[in-house]
Amino acid sequence: MKTPIQLQQQNLSELRSRMPVPTYNLSANKTGIVHIGVGGFHRAHQAYYLHQLRQLGLASDWGICGIGLREADAKLHDIFKTQDHLYTLMVKHPNGKIEPEVIGSIVDFKMGTTDPEPVIAQMAHADTRIVSLTITEGGYNFNPTTGEFNFDNPDIKHELQHPNDPKTVYGFLTAALKRRRNAGLPAFTILICDNIEHNGDMARKMLLTFAEAQDADLAKWIAQEVSFPNSMVDRITPVTTPADIDTLALDYGVHDAWPVTCEPFIQWVVEDKFSNGRPDFEKVGVQFVPDVGPYEKMKLRLLNAGHSVLGLLGALHAHKTINACMEDKTFVTYLRAFLDVEATPILGDIEGIDLEDYKDILLQRFANPNIKDSVSRICTESSAKLPKFLIATIHDNLATGGSIKFATLVIAAWGYYSDKGMDRHGHPIEIIDAMSAELHKAAEQTRTDPLAFIKQESLFGNLAKNERFTTLYAAMVQNIYKDPNIKKHMQNMI
Ligand code: CS2
């Protein structure tokens, strides 16, 4: 056992014997990227790619300034302050090996909740050339079925009235872009790193809708000057646990109040449309393609949907982690059947990708016993995820006459989960979802109206009017309410 050393710039030379640390000058020449939403994923993905570039002696004009727009981000802000924005990335291999490494690509962190001015100024600074976002699938303020911007959001109403007091990303982006336009500075690229199909196109549409309501001239300038590359991002990043912090301190001798853990796999496929330059990301394995669409669809409909299949069915069965689901033969067979029979046929051919290999690797990734990705993380904000990950596949298969049964059981299970909020042992499940009250209200009417849950049009579109779907769904609902042992129903289908 080593006496733990506090993670801090001044201790890096001492830490060097314990794990790899940055070899570059931590204060980048310029802060070229402003990133909103510095969760575990950003730190395991984009910030790691930048770190690799910096280790190669490149990208010194691309330091990252993290931004927190939620009160909850204050915790990371404070930790970063004591740790000089350093953190440890713990890559966890299936054989139990852990590779920790200190990452130094984030050079600053600002909160926008108390005083928006420093954040707007940072985005409007001449050195800032990219503003990137990971604000979660639910963070973009649109109706998942209609795809329309939600003007009823009180924060949006507020910032339309008070452009100098932004609350959401839309208010911050327009305030900063306006300042750049007025100063004659080039616009920055807006790079979305969330799991949404055509994420750049979606963000462009949302930002222009908001900007038009605020300032039509500015909207025109944004439409001409700002590029929004679509991108597909991938690395499984579980929630950090106290055990991870302890492992780092006890086994590696590093005190880090908020390390990040992740799997070895990493992928980023991006469209090369950057209006104001970009780091040489291709030198560290980022793929640039003319059209990201097929890659995004593949990832969302296989990986993310696969996660949701395991997550919701696993929650009812009382499996705690994704790898526990993968140790259960019924779950593995069911998942593979869903992927092969329902998700794959709608993907078509994707250049350079063998979908069978992709799925084989995916199953190995899910099975990594060292990752212990919690089912509860996967089920968090299901209302923002399922329309894009799973319900879209049901719609596609209804249109083509394809199979829908494996996905439909997941929807029926989601309804039961939202109604009862407990697993098969009667233990409560904590449901974390911005729509949890509405979901529960709709689901609890299932006994009197079996279709009540799927009548929520903002999530399901017109599924409640599709006879092929409703007949199957209603029968599954009846079975689950009669016998909540979800595994039995899964077994009957495989
Ligand atoms: C997960 C994703 O949130 C989810 O439901 O499927 O966070 C997933 O782990 C990442 O997209 C992996 O790249």
Side-chain angles (χ1 to χ4, degrees), residues 41 137 195 233-237 263 299 303-305 307-308 365-366 373 377-380 385 389:
F41 182 76
E137 292 77 48
N195 293 313
V233 293
D234 194 4
R235 189 169 221 186
I236 294 174
T237 309
E263 63 169 343
K299 194 250 170 171
L303 186 148
N304 297 112
H307 256 162
S308 298
R365 294 169 63 194
F366 284 174
D373 196 8
R377 178 184 86 85
I378 299 303
C379 295
T380 297
K385 295 174 178 175
F389 300 172

Side-chain angles (χ1 to χ4, degrees), residues 39-45 87-93 97-101 235-248 256 258-265 368 370-374 377:
F41 182 76
H42 171 72
R43 293 196 277 156
H45 194 260
Y87 64 94
T88 320
L89 186 63
M90 302 165 76
V91 178
K92 294 187 171 182
H93 293 264
K97 192 172 134 203
I98 300 177
E99 278 182 304
E101 176 167 5
R235 189 169 221 186
I236 294 174
T237 309
V239 178
T240 306
T241 64
D244 295 321
I245 297 175
D246 290 348
T247 302
L248 203 53
D256 179 345
W258 202 338
V260 177
T261 69
C262 65
E263 63 169 343
F265 184 97
N368 183 338
N370 206 17
I371 277 286
K372 299 188 180 56
D373 196 8
S374 66
R377 178 184 86 85

